[in-house]
Structures are given as structure tokens and as C-alpha cells.
Amino acid sequence: MDGIYKFIIILIFFCSCKNNKETHSIEHKFIKYNINVLIDSVESFDMSKYMTKKDIFTIGLIDSITVEDRHNNVNKSKNFIPLKIHSNDILEFKSKYELKLVPKKNHDSNILFVQFCDLQISENKASIIVRKTRGIGMIEDIYFFVKEKNIWVLKKKKMLTMG
């Protein structure tokens, strides 16, 4: 009987780990298949066409999705998801610009930094804030998605801040 209990406990452990991976992969799939939508309108930050020295314009995606501090006191009931972004999450990105993952503390002036914040995913709705920064220029948008036929479709994009 003792062996049966050990087997059941090990089986429950592996099943719980599998469910955790599936939940984790939902967020990665969301980023992977919507990367082109989330990193849009980057041309407005490309000043190389106006410069005499042609710098290579690169997009640096911050390697983690953060939860902004502004929400800690406002509403703790929101289920924001912090997430580490991996290189396979950005494979679907199609652009004339290079996209690379960069750490949060980076100060390269030739990079347009893109940061994802406040990711929320429910059964059929999702939202995420995307902040694009280069030098002193910045734009922050929130994207709203709805799941239709198992595909996330952008329903609305709203500008939050520009500076």
C-alpha cells in the first residue's frame, strides 16, 4: 500500500506541474502571436533618415513584462501577470528593423526601447500596456484584445501618454 501512495503523490505532482506550464505558455503564446501588433508604429522613432551619419535603428524589447507600481494602491484585485520574455516569443516579428531582447537597465541611445507592462489575460479578453522610448521621446499605448475562434484579435488601441 505504501508504494501506491508514493505513486499517487508523484502523479499529482507531475500533473500540477503540467497545468502550471500550460498556464504559463498561454501568456507566451499571446506575446508570440501578437508581437507585430504590439510593436507597431516604430518608424516615427527612426531618425536615421534625417541624419548625416546613418545609425542602425534597432528595437530593444525589455526582456520582462512588469507590473507597474501605480496599481499597488489603486486596485489589488486586478490580475496583472509578470513574465520573462524569451527569444522564441519574438520569432514571429516581421519588420525592416532588428528586434532584440535587452535587460531593463540599458541606456543605448541607438535603440528604441519597448516595454510591456500590466498584462492581463482572462478567458476571452486581454490587455497590455506598451511603452516605446528613445532618448527623451516616449509614447505609451494600451491594447485591448478579444479572443475570437481561439485567436486574439485587437479590438482597440488607446494612447495613454506621449512626450
Side-chain angles (χ1 to χ4, degrees):
M1 270 312 215
D2 193 32
I4 293 175
Y5 289 121
K6 287 181 184 178
F7 177 74
I8 291 172
I9 290 172
I10 291 172
L11 184 63
I12 290 171
F13 175 76
F14 282 119
C15 289
S16 67
C17 289
K18 182 181 178 189
N19 288 340
N20 191 14
K21 284 182 182 177
E22 287 175 7
T23 303
H24 185 70
S25 69
I26 291 170
E27 291 85 9
H28 285 280
K29 285 181 183 177
F30 175 82
I31 297 299
K32 182 176 182 175
Y33 294 116
N34 293 298
I35 193 76
N36 289 305
V37 173
L38 296 172
I39 303 180
D40 64 346
S41 65
V42 295
E43 295 83 16
S44 60
F45 288 92
D46 185 3
M47 295 294 136
S48 64
K49 54 190 164 220
Y50 303 111
M51 307 296 237
T52 54
K53 179 185 171 196
K54 295 293 183 189
D55 289 325
I56 297 172
F57 181 70
T58 304
I59 302 168
L61 177 61
I62 304 297
D63 63 1
S64 56
I65 299 176
T66 60
V67 177
E68 294 289 302
D69 290 335
R70 63 183 170 208
H71 299 292
N72 288 342
N73 297 328
V74 177
N75 190 350
K76 291 187 178 195
S77 67
K78 296 198 179 228
N79 296 322
F80 295 114
I81 303 165
L83 184 68
K84 181 80 172 157
I85 300 173
H86 303 290
S87 56
N88 358 343
D89 298 334
I90 63 173
L91 292 176
E92 302 289 325
F93 184 69
K94 306 285 188 257
S95 175
K96 65 180 181 179
Y97 302 111
E98 177 188 3
L99 175 66
K100 62 182 180 179
L101 290 174
V102 296
K104 190 170 185 174
K105 302 292 183 194
N106 197 319
H107 303 287
D108 189 336
S109 62
N110 291 327
I111 293 180
L112 168 65
F113 293 102
V114 177
Q115 182 176 12
F116 297 154
C117 308
D118 299 343
L119 173 63
Q120 286 184 298
I121 298 178
S122 66
E123 288 181 28
N124 61 349
K125 291 184 180 181
S127 67
I128 188 168
I129 293 176
V130 179
R131 184 178 300 129
K132 298 174 187 113
T133 309
R134 183 167 186 200
I136 60 170
M138 189 267 293
I139 190 165
E140 186 177 62
D141 298 309
I142 186 165
Y143 294 74
F144 298 96
F145 293 85
V146 174
K147 198 172 200 177
E148 295 177 354
K149 297 180 184 172
N150 216 18
I151 297 173
W152 289 103
V153 178
L154 178 67
K155 286 297 179 181
K156 183 178 177 183
K157 174 183 169 184
K158 180 180 176 186
M159 183 186 303
L160 298 176
T161 311
M162 182 180 207

